[in-house]
């Protein structure tokens, strides 16, 4: 595990085997980044950092006063790293945001990564906030203050405490300035998928923390002493989708939900990933992982030109 983690960090530091979004493709029409995301129950617009949009990084923003659902209009292959955050003017308590990854061919092969907070008194840091992986009825995560390959750091259904699984981002960047963070999927040569999140005190992602590994050890079960996570192999790297939901944990459909923004995506087979910077509203061409749909493919060339010229 340490070897795989070191490889991930090294690749991030040196940019090994990466290319810019759309590089190597035939030249085409300028691409509006908003076409990458579709939402039901939320509006989607471009947000700019450092202004009235209340975001730490520029990118695609989904906004709503009620719970909502959305998806990337994409088919991803290989590893994935997504940089995202939550709008800073949002409530911090009783919020849940869930990413779901599913095979594009067999959607029943899926798992979710859940960020949630249930602060009872945020000013006094009373309550909890954290992240965990859910696969069927199984949940896994790791405690934030312990090295992830120490057995006492691993948590499962039996001892899950979300308050021990702090990560960046937190809702509204509450508490320690975690306005944004990274969520990563990384497949090893042995087919094991590891899920990484950004440590709660490290929004720049210098020290990613593994919170679960799909290691094919369901027969053995969850046994940290033996180094097994008790999760199946997740062989979806040949093509998978990414959807998300935002909700109020109290189940009140009128109390709002966390507004999320996406600032960059890096995706593709190890050593040949494509980096897609979403901090500008228009790309030179569409990303290779983009999958057009009738719902999202409605942006006209005139609209794109308006964005490039500041709406003139």
């Amino acid at each position: 595990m340490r070897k795989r983690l070191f490889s991930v960090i090294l690749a991030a530091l040196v940019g090994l085997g990466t290319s810019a979004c759309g590089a190597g493709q035939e030249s085409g029409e300028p691409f509006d980044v908003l076409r990458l995301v579709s939402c039901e129950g939320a509006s989607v617009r471009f947000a700019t950092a450092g202004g009235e949009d209340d975001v730490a990084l520029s990118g695609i923003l989904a906004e709503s006063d009620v719970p909502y659902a959305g998806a990337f209009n994409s088919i991803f292959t290989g590893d994935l790293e997504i940089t995202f955050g939550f709008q800073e003017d949002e409530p911090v308590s009783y919020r849940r945001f869930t990413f779901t990854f599913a095979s594009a061919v067999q959607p029943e092969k899926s798992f979710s990564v859940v960020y949630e907070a249930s602060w009872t008194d945020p000013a006094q840091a009373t309550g909890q906030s954290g992240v965990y992986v859910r696969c069927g009825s199984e949940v896994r995560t790791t405690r934030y203050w312990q090295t992830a390959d120490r057995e006492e750091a691993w948590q499962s259904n039996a001892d899950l405490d979300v308050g021990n699984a702090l990560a960046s981002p937190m809702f509204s960047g509450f508490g320690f300035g975690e306005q944004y963070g990274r969520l990563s999927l990384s497949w090893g040569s042995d087919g094991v998928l590891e899920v990484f999140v950004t440590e709660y005190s490290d929004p720049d992602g210098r020290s990613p923390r593994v919170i679960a590994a799909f290691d094919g050890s369901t027969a053995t079960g969850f046994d940290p002493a033996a180094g097994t996570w008790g999760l199946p192999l997740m062989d979806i790297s040949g093509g998978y989708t990414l959807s998300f939901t935002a909700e109020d944990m109290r189940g009140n459909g009128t109390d709002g939900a966390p507004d999320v923004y996406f600032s960059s995506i890096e995706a593709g087979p190890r050593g040949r990933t494509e980096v897609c910077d979403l901090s500008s509203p228009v790309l030179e061409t569409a990303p290779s992982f983009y999958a057009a749909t009738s719902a999202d493919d409605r942006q006209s060339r005139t609209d794109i030109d308006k964005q490039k010229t500041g709406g003139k």
Side-chain angles (χ1 to χ4, degrees), residues 182-262:
R182 294 174 175 84
L183 170 62
S184 305
L185 308 185
S186 178
W187 274 270
S189 58
D190 53 3
V192 173
L193 166 62
E194 291 183 317
V195 181
F196 293 89
V197 298
T198 299
E199 284 285 22
Y200 84 97
S201 58
D202 183 27
D204 288 327
R206 293 180 296 272
S207 301
R209 181 176 100 238
V210 64
I211 59 170
F214 291 86
D215 57 359
S217 62
T218 52
T220 305
F222 180 75
D223 187 352
T228 60
W229 289 85
L231 295 174
L233 287 174
M234 191 60 63
D235 55 344
I236 64 173
S237 63
Y240 57 94
T241 61
L242 172 55
S243 59
F244 52 87
T245 58
E247 58 189 312
D248 185 305
M249 292 174 62
R250 293 166 294 189
N252 189 333
T254 62
D255 282 349
D259 294 341
V260 68
Y261 61 90
F262 306 105

Side-chain angles (χ1 to χ4, degrees), residues 147-195:
T147 304
D149 60 358
R150 289 173 55 187
E151 61 184 62
E152 61 265 33
W154 296 12
Q155 292 184 290
S156 67
N157 303 56
D159 59 354
L160 177 68
D161 183 346
V162 174
N164 287 331
L166 288 170
S168 293
M170 286 186 183
F171 300 106
S172 290
F174 170 73
F176 307 94
E178 299 85 354
Q179 289 91 349
Y180 64 92
R182 294 174 175 84
L183 170 62
S184 305
L185 308 185
S186 178
W187 274 270
S189 58
D190 53 3
V192 173
L193 166 62
E194 291 183 317
V195 181

